[in-house]
Amino acid sequence: MSLINQVDQDIKQAMLAKQPDRLRGLRAIKSALLLARTEKGATEELTEETEIKVLQKLIKQRRESADIYKSQNREDLYEIEMQEMQVIEPYLPKQMDMAEIEVYLKDLISRVGATSQKDMGKVMGAANKELAGKADGRTISEMVKRLLV
């Protein structure tokens, strides 16, 4: 079953269960997927890789908005963003924890032959490709900076 069909089914269940918070997050997913499907140059069906990128973008947008709302003491809006993130996250592949990312990046750095901050581009290119959907780009970047000192 494609992701958009799964989201449609979940929307129906959320409507029947009268879960407005879950429904808002599911509708955001559906909207983003439909928008990605109709973009210039897009094919009729989205690839799994494209779906993951769309979901990651939604999570990133919510995280950034939540940070802004938190800094401005807007707890009401912060909670809405966090609820939507909790609805979107289960549709992404299982995220790696910090220890797993660190072990992976140490191995990658040795494979690429990186020795200093100058080699960060090589490491980040490979890491983003191999860890797509499994780890946040900001987390990867911060850890690579720390490991290449």
Side-chain angles (χ1 to χ4, degrees), residues 20 55 64 102 109 114 143 149:
L55 293 175
E64 290 172 353
E102 185 170 359
I109 288 170
M143 195 166 294
V149 173

PDB file of all heavy atoms in Angstrom, residues 20 55 64 102 109 114 143 149:
ATOM      1  N   PRO A  20      -9.124  15.430  16.324  1.00  0.00           N
ATOM      2  CA  PRO A  20      -8.776  16.594  15.493  1.00  0.00           C
ATOM      3  C   PRO A  20      -7.274  16.861  15.398  1.00  0.00           C
ATOM      4  O   PRO A  20      -6.800  17.301  14.349  1.00  0.00           O
ATOM      5  CB  PRO A  20      -9.496  17.753  16.177  1.00  0.00           C
ATOM      6  CG  PRO A  20      -9.773  17.288  17.560  1.00  0.00           C
ATOM      7  CD  PRO A  20      -9.908  15.806  17.492  1.00  0.00           C
ATOM      8  N   LEU A  55       8.326  13.938   3.972  1.00  0.00           N
ATOM      9  CA  LEU A  55       8.038  13.810   5.404  1.00  0.00           C
ATOM     10  C   LEU A  55       9.125  14.479   6.244  1.00  0.00           C
ATOM     11  O   LEU A  55       8.819  15.136   7.245  1.00  0.00           O
ATOM     12  CB  LEU A  55       7.889  12.342   5.785  1.00  0.00           C
ATOM     13  CG  LEU A  55       6.679  11.626   5.194  1.00  0.00           C
ATOM     14  CD1 LEU A  55       6.702  10.149   5.551  1.00  0.00           C
ATOM     15  CD2 LEU A  55       5.382  12.262   5.643  1.00  0.00           C
ATOM     16  N   GLU A  64      11.348  23.713  13.386  1.00  0.00           N
ATOM     17  CA  GLU A  64      11.776  25.109  13.346  1.00  0.00           C
ATOM     18  C   GLU A  64      10.686  26.033  13.888  1.00  0.00           C
ATOM     19  O   GLU A  64      10.967  26.957  14.651  1.00  0.00           O
ATOM     20  CB  GLU A  64      12.162  25.507  11.925  1.00  0.00           C
ATOM     21  CG  GLU A  64      13.441  24.855  11.450  1.00  0.00           C
ATOM     22  CD  GLU A  64      13.733  25.077   9.973  1.00  0.00           C
ATOM     23  OE1 GLU A  64      12.875  25.633   9.248  1.00  0.00           O
ATOM     24  OE2 GLU A  64      14.828  24.691   9.541  1.00  0.00           O
ATOM     25  N   GLU A 102      27.022   7.992  15.652  1.00  0.00           N
ATOM     26  CA  GLU A 102      28.446   8.238  15.897  1.00  0.00           C
ATOM     27  C   GLU A 102      29.301   7.072  15.402  1.00  0.00           C
ATOM     28  O   GLU A 102      30.316   7.278  14.730  1.00  0.00           O
ATOM     29  CB  GLU A 102      28.700   8.482  17.383  1.00  0.00           C
ATOM     30  CG  GLU A 102      30.123   8.869  17.679  1.00  0.00           C
ATOM     31  CD  GLU A 102      30.331   9.353  19.100  1.00  0.00           C
ATOM     32  OE1 GLU A 102      29.365   9.419  19.874  1.00  0.00           O
ATOM     33  OE2 GLU A 102      31.489   9.663  19.427  1.00  0.00           O
ATOM     34  N   ILE A 109      34.048   8.082   8.085  1.00  0.00           N
ATOM     35  CA  ILE A 109      35.201   8.980   8.026  1.00  0.00           C
ATOM     36  C   ILE A 109      36.459   8.192   7.680  1.00  0.00           C
ATOM     37  O   ILE A 109      37.261   8.627   6.852  1.00  0.00           O
ATOM     38  CB  ILE A 109      35.364   9.753   9.363  1.00  0.00           C
ATOM     39  CG1 ILE A 109      34.252  10.804   9.484  1.00  0.00           C
ATOM     40  CG2 ILE A 109      36.740  10.407   9.459  1.00  0.00           C
ATOM     41  CD1 ILE A 109      34.151  11.462  10.838  1.00  0.00           C
ATOM     42  N   ALA A 114      38.863  10.944   5.498  1.00  0.00           N
ATOM     43  CA  ALA A 114      38.798  12.328   5.960  1.00  0.00           C
ATOM     44  C   ALA A 114      39.678  12.491   7.193  1.00  0.00           C
ATOM     45  O   ALA A 114      39.720  11.633   8.064  1.00  0.00           O
ATOM     46  CB  ALA A 114      37.363  12.700   6.293  1.00  0.00           C
ATOM     47  N   MET A 143      27.661  16.277  14.389  1.00  0.00           N
ATOM     48  CA  MET A 143      28.518  15.179  14.821  1.00  0.00           C
ATOM     49  C   MET A 143      29.763  15.076  13.945  1.00  0.00           C
ATOM     50  O   MET A 143      30.852  14.818  14.450  1.00  0.00           O
ATOM     51  CB  MET A 143      27.749  13.866  14.833  1.00  0.00           C
ATOM     52  CG  MET A 143      28.465  12.798  15.605  1.00  0.00           C
ATOM     53  SD  MET A 143      27.440  11.369  15.993  1.00  0.00           S
ATOM     54  CE  MET A 143      26.253  12.052  17.109  1.00  0.00           C
ATOM     55  N   VAL A 149      37.541  17.209  14.281  1.00  0.00           N
ATOM     56  CA  VAL A 149      38.403  18.234  14.913  1.00  0.00           C
ATOM     57  C   VAL A 149      39.807  17.734  15.029  1.00  0.00           C
ATOM     58  O   VAL A 149      40.116  16.617  15.183  1.00  0.00           O
ATOM     59  CB  VAL A 149      37.861  18.629  16.305  1.00  0.00           C
ATOM     60  CG1 VAL A 149      38.813  19.538  17.023  1.00  0.00           C
ATOM     61  CG2 VAL A 149      36.514  19.297  16.123  1.00  0.00           C
TER      62      VAL A 149
END
